[in-house]
Amino acid sequence: MTTLPTDPAETVAPALTRTVDRPRRSTGKRPLRVTTWYATALFICAVMIVPLLWMITIGLKSRNAVFEVPPRLLPHEFHWQNFLDGPKAIHFPRLLLNSTIITVLSVLGGVMTAMMAGYALARLRFPGRKVWFYLFVGSMLLPGVVGLIPLFQMYKSIGWYDTWLPLIVPAFFGGNPLFIFLARQYFLAIPYSIDEAAKIDGAGHLRIFVSVMLPLTRPAWITMAILAFQASWNDFLNPLVYLYSAGKWPLSVGMAQFVSPFAGQTPNWSYYMATNLLYMLPPLILFFAAQRYFIQGLGSLGSTTQK
Amino acid sequence: MNRDGRSRGGRGGFSRNAGSDVKAAYLFIAPAIIGFTVFVVYPLVRSFYLSLTKYNGLTDPVFVGLGNFRRLFTVDPAFWPSLRATGYLVVLYVPLSLALGLALAMFCNQRFAGVRIVRTLAYLPVVLPAVATITLWKFILNPQVGLANTILDKLHLPTSLWLQSPSMSMPSIVIVMLWGVGGTMIIFLAALQAVPTELYEAARVDGAGPYAVFFRITLPMISPIMLLQVILQTTAALQTFNQPKILTGGGPGFSTNVLMLSIYNNGFSNLGRIPQLGYASAQVWVLFIVIIAVIALTAKFSSLWTYSDNTPD
């Protein structure tokens, strides 16, 4: 055991980009093993997928059929209309618009400012660059709850309570330290001869950043954009705290409200589940569409500690 | 910018550009520095000050020293139950999440047709919005018409009141959280794939059994990631909010009234109560200190059980 290679933490994530090729064991010769594997695999898949199928089933049932005892696993008759009526009843279009505006802006701000900070930290020499790097990385460990009350008060005192600003503006100020970290790691991996060449050609830093670095770091900022999208689209606590008027709610708060114990009457679960599916759809599509970038980007997280 | 950059380049190449580098660097990093000051440092200091005051958000904060903390630990009937609920959640969730996540990762690290499908499906719940999945589970765990009891009933197993039963409410919340175990899995999977194949080959040559391989190679090799996971999962579990807020509202009784929910209710709830922001800040600081302690203790004792090739031999 003396010839163990480098610390696994250092090489962890690049491995994600690889397809599975590890502990290889002979499979074909052991039918029992194969059967056990597939039985387990089937079980795992079922646990993950059945709740979602159940959601679709409810979305297709009539309002009253949902409350049948014992419940039917398949709807008696299919109410496709729920997918049109449900969203209307739940003010889905309004909530969707709100969510979209908040998410698009905070993705834009978060990715842009993190990339800028990462560029400075990785490729420019300036006094204090180590200090700022450690401060940003250290702030990743700080639990979000600590800022909750003072920030709430701060926003309230400058008139931002019940507006979208608290959900958007912080993103334009390097909102997520993880992104700064990720950006820096990516920039470190780019050969310095590239910007030297650009400088000889007469490009300034802004020029180098926009025309040379951004195309080279595509996987990094696409990954960040996906993560930022999910964080904003899925966020529940912040909009819940900062938004009072129902007309300004994003989908997360609006959807939760319909099943809240304080909402009054029993929610129309068929409408709700049909709409819930629509709420899930954008992150779902994004996940499947951008899997490649997502995994590449995570890969850079691991190759980090050496530098 | 174009002209500016060109003239600068023309003047003297990049070796003499140290000064403009500094200026550019601070322009690039300025948003992040402002953000760090305004959204991290200021709230940290301010929240500590507020924890020592009586403050309703309308009139000025009144300094009360450690009064909030005294009230928390000695007077408030809801504080100890909320601390207990939080502890219970952590003790139940963290080990299960790590064990299941690792098991799932080891399962998905094998070479079989269809393994990518399993991996993708296991990770799927992580990408879905928390509110969407939690409300879905609220309905699944409905005792009368939910899927959970329907399946248990069909299998002739005992059913449960789930979220409505004081003894099952917290385990139910943990079940809902564990549905997202794919997040833990994906990190373990990356760690497992980084373990050099030679080690497994050497072990096989030496005739090591699966248990020896697991405990003497796999576990030591991924122990730094395990450490990271313990810290991440514990701090995340300590700050659990969405599940109890949406599933139970803290009930029945105080059984799921975790600290975060209590902080939210004291500080923000619009149920006609006066917000107690100073008091809620004191609770925040209790939670914060617990989190720091967890991180410090885990890091301190990590050398006992994590493998590192830096150790001199």
Side-chain angles (χ1 to χ4, degrees):
Chain A
M1 295 288 279
T2 46
T3 53
L4 284 174
T6 48
D7 184 348
E10 292 178 2
T11 43
V12 158
L16 258 181
T17 53
R18 259 179 266 154
T19 46
V20 218
D21 58 348
R22 302 230 149 212
R24 53 183 78 93
R25 293 176 184 126
S26 53
T27 53
K29 284 157 200 158
R30 297 188 189 165
L32 180 67
R33 213 187 126 73
V34 175
T35 317
T36 324
W37 196 91
Y38 279 106
T40 318
L42 210 63
F43 176 75
I44 295 168
C45 292
V47 169
M48 297 301 166
I49 207 81
V50 165
L52 296 170
L53 295 178
W54 175 242
M55 181 180 77
I56 298 170
T57 308
I58 298 170
L60 286 170
K61 285 180 178 177
S62 75
R63 177 169 196 168
N64 295 325
V66 170
F67 292 103
E68 263 181 306
V69 180
R72 287 166 175 275
L73 294 182
L74 275 177
H76 191 55
E77 37 183 28
F78 290 82
H79 292 251
W80 294 101
Q81 194 64 25
N82 287 347
F83 282 90
L84 292 176
D85 295 344
K88 260 184 248 160
I90 296 183
H91 313 299
F92 187 78
R94 174 83 238 180
L95 298 171
L96 178 70
L97 182 69
N98 296 349
S99 267
T100 308
I101 296 171
I102 296 169
T103 301
V104 166
L105 288 175
S106 60
V107 167
L108 199 73
V111 173
M112 195 177 72
T113 49
M115 288 299 283
M116 283 164 55
Y119 177 76
L121 286 171
R123 308 195 74 88
L124 300 174
R125 311 218 145 265
F126 61 99
R129 82 174 188 157
K130 274 242 165 83
V131 177
W132 284 116
F133 175 66
Y134 286 122
L135 283 175
F136 293 147
V137 170
S139 70
M140 277 198 273
L141 277 179
L142 199 72
V145 56
V146 178
L148 203 59
I149 289 164
L151 286 176
F152 174 76
Q153 279 303 307
M154 187 175 89
Y155 296 136
K156 210 169 176 180
S157 68
I158 54 175
W160 287 10
Y161 178 63
D162 207 23
T163 73
W164 290 334
L165 293 171
L167 305 173
I168 296 168
V169 173
F172 281 85
F173 289 91
N176 191 336
L178 173 71
F179 291 175
I180 299 180
F181 180 68
L182 202 70
R184 175 183 174 268
Q185 301 319 125
Y186 239 90
F187 280 121
L188 281 178
I190 297 169
Y192 284 84
S193 51
I194 291 182
D195 22 348
E196 280 166 17
K199 275 183 193 173
I200 289 166
D201 287 347
H205 285 296
L206 196 57
R207 183 72 192 249
I208 295 176
F209 178 71
V210 174
S211 338
V212 182
M213 291 300 157
L214 288 188
L216 285 174
T217 51
R218 218 156 79 109
W221 52 258
I222 290 183
T223 305
M224 282 184 234
I226 296 168
L227 291 174
F229 172 86
Q230 286 181 335
S232 175
W233 192 263
N234 301 355
D235 188 15
F236 175 59
L237 178 60
N238 288 308
L240 184 69
V241 166
Y242 295 129
L243 297 174
Y244 176 77
S245 321
K248 293 173 184 161
W249 285 343
L251 279 162
S252 60
V253 180
M255 294 297 284
Q257 190 60 26
F258 289 103
V259 293
S260 130
F262 304 110
Q265 351 114 282
T266 340
N268 184 335
W269 283 100
S270 312
Y271 278 5
Y272 182 81
M273 290 303 174
T275 317
N276 210 23
L277 186 75
L278 299 180
Y279 173 35
M280 287 180 176
L281 225 46
L284 204 65
I285 294 170
L286 195 66
F287 171 62
F288 283 110
Q291 242 178 341
R292 189 167 59 94
Y293 283 118
F294 192 64
I295 285 166
Q296 264 183 11
L298 275 181
S300 74
L301 262 181
S303 56
T304 56
T305 26
Q306 295 118 321
K307 300 258 166 84
Chain B
M1 128 345 239
N2 211 343
R3 202 169 52 86
D4 195 48
R6 200 172 288 141
S7 68
R8 203 189 299 145
R11 229 183 289 133
F14 47 86
S15 57
R16 286 215 269 140
N17 263 355
S20 80
D21 255 19
V22 173
K23 221 171 83 190
Y26 272 102
L27 280 175
F28 273 98
I29 209 175
I33 291 178
I34 295 169
F36 179 75
T37 318
V38 177
F39 302 115
V40 176
V41 178
Y42 164 76
L44 189 69
V45 176
R46 176 77 178 165
S47 124
F48 181 68
Y49 167 70
L50 284 182
S51 73
L52 305 174
T53 65
K54 194 175 158 68
Y55 183 42
N56 59 16
L58 301 169
T59 50
D60 285 339
V62 179
F63 191 79
V64 292
L66 294 175
N68 286 327
F69 293 92
R70 206 172 302 125
R71 186 175 138 207
L72 270 180
F73 287 107
T74 57
V75 185
D76 192 338
F79 180 68
W80 287 109
S82 79
L83 214 55
R84 198 180 317 126
T86 314
Y88 183 32
L89 176 78
V90 169
V91 166
L92 211 56
Y93 171 74
V94 176
L96 279 173
S97 158
L98 293 179
L100 276 177
L102 181 57
L104 205 56
M106 291 180 66
F107 182 78
C108 289
N109 195 30
Q110 286 164 309
R111 217 189 208 190
F112 275 93
V115 74
R116 290 188 59 152
I117 298 171
V118 181
R119 232 189 309 166
T120 309
L121 283 184
Y123 193 67
L124 190 62
V126 184
V127 255
L128 300 175
V131 168
T133 58
I134 294 169
T135 45
L136 170 61
W137 275 92
K138 189 173 182 169
F139 196 77
I140 290 173
L141 295 175
N142 181 301
Q144 283 84 41
V145 296
L147 184 65
N149 276 356
T150 309
I151 291 177
L152 290 177
D153 202 49
K154 289 234 160 98
L155 297 173
H156 302 286
L157 291 168
T159 57
S160 166
L161 283 175
W162 302 112
L163 297 160
Q164 297 168 22
S165 138
S167 61
M168 266 310 282
S169 53
M170 190 57 91
S172 306
I173 283 181
V174 169
I175 290 172
V176 176
M177 290 168 74
L178 284 174
W179 195 51
V181 75
T184 322
M185 172 202 75
I186 209 83
I187 297 179
F188 276 133
L189 190 62
L192 289 176
Q193 297 195 345
V195 179
T197 328
E198 301 92 75
L199 292 181
Y200 290 112
E201 277 158 10
R204 204 170 46 205
V205 171
D206 290 348
Y211 293 100
V213 169
F214 178 74
F215 285 107
R216 312 200 60 163
I217 296 177
T218 309
L219 219 45
M221 287 305 287
I222 64 164
S223 54
I225 290 298
M226 184 64 97
L227 170 73
L228 183 73
Q229 290 275 54
V230 171
I231 293 176
L232 289 180
Q233 298 293 329
T234 310
T235 49
L238 283 167
Q239 295 181 79
T240 304
F241 173 77
N242 295 347
Q243 288 83 357
K245 168 73 183 160
I246 296 169
L247 290 173
T248 61
F254 282 119
S255 62
T256 57
N257 194 47
V258 294
L259 213 43
M260 270 301 288
L261 198 57
S262 178
I263 290 167
Y264 173 80
N265 286 332
N266 283 330
F268 305 106
S269 185
N270 304 310
L271 298 175
R273 271 180 286 158
I274 299 167
Q276 303 178 292
L277 291 163
Y279 192 57
S281 295
Q283 285 181 300
V284 167
W285 271 79
V286 171
L287 185 57
F288 187 34
I289 289 165
V290 171
I291 290 171
I292 294 175
V294 166
I295 295 175
L297 283 175
T298 319
K300 185 168 163 54
F301 292 111
S302 66
S303 60
L304 296 179
W305 52 272
T306 55
Y307 166 79
S308 151
D309 61 341
N310 300 327
T311 42
D313 48 354

